[in-house]
Amino acid sequence: MRLPRTNHGEGDKGFVASLVGTARARGVAGYYGDGTNRWPAVHRLDSARMFRLALEKAPAGATLHAVSDEGVALRDIAEVIGRHLDVPTAAVTPQEAPGHFGWLAPVLAADQPAAGMLSRELTGWEPVGPGLLDDLDKGHYFRQA
């Protein structure tokens, strides 16, 4: 089972939460380069369902991809973050990226679209959770404990 970089949902402490934290700390919702680099994504409840269906229906040895959003542009992610935090959205050059994003810079540098059509065909899986941008817009990533 392969999961996309972003397995999002309430309680997520991964890449998207890191981007929110960086934007909050730096006062700008940055995106790498021109912001066209894409992240595949899946809601975490949908990925959990895919694991169950993989065990129940997938042929032995099948490689499955739990992908609902095939590629969300980093600029689009930054724009939602900026809107919720009321900070500007701006490009971060490849040279500035390590200082701005820290450990996340190399991950942001790659364009990583992915598809899961064959996985859907093999298992009957259909994601029902919100897409990444809709999930971000729900606001739970922006609550501070």
Side-chain angles (χ1 to χ4, degrees), residues 29-137:
Y31 54 87
Y32 188 96
D34 65 4
T36 59
N37 294 8
R38 297 164 291 174
W39 269 1
V42 66
H43 191 274
R44 63 192 205 166
L45 296 177
D46 285 328
S47 63
R49 285 184 39 256
M50 174 61 106
F51 273 100
R52 179 184 55 81
L53 289 169
L55 291 170
E56 293 173 357
K57 297 184 177 187
T63 300
L64 301 174
H65 298 264
V67 174
S68 58
D69 287 324
E70 294 185 1
V72 181
L74 292 175
R75 184 176 187 154
D76 294 341
I77 295 168
E79 286 173 352
V80 174
I81 293 170
R83 187 172 67 248
H84 278 270
L85 295 178
D86 196 26
V87 299
T89 303
V92 177
T93 67
Q95 295 78 17
E96 298 167 327
H100 184 88
F101 296 112
W103 64 270
L104 197 51
V107 176
L108 296 171
D111 184 34
Q112 305 170 39
M117 281 309 236
L118 180 59
S119 300
R120 291 178 190 209
E121 290 172 16
L122 289 173
T123 64
W125 178 72
E126 286 298 328
V128 296
L132 176 56
L133 296 178
D134 289 338
D135 198 23
L136 269 169
D137 257 337

Side-chain angles (χ1 to χ4, degrees), residues 8-12 43 135-143:
H8 59 89
E10 188 144 4
D12 172 20
H43 191 274
D135 198 23
L136 269 169
D137 257 337
K138 288 183 175 193
H140 57 86
Y141 278 96
F142 306 99
R143 292 184 209 127

Side-chain angles (χ1 to χ4, degrees), residues 19-28 81 85 87 141-144:
L19 287 175
V20 171
T22 298
R24 185 175 274 126
R26 302 231 180 258
V28 63
I81 293 170
L85 295 178
V87 299
Y141 278 96
F142 306 99
R143 292 184 209 127
Q144 291 193 18

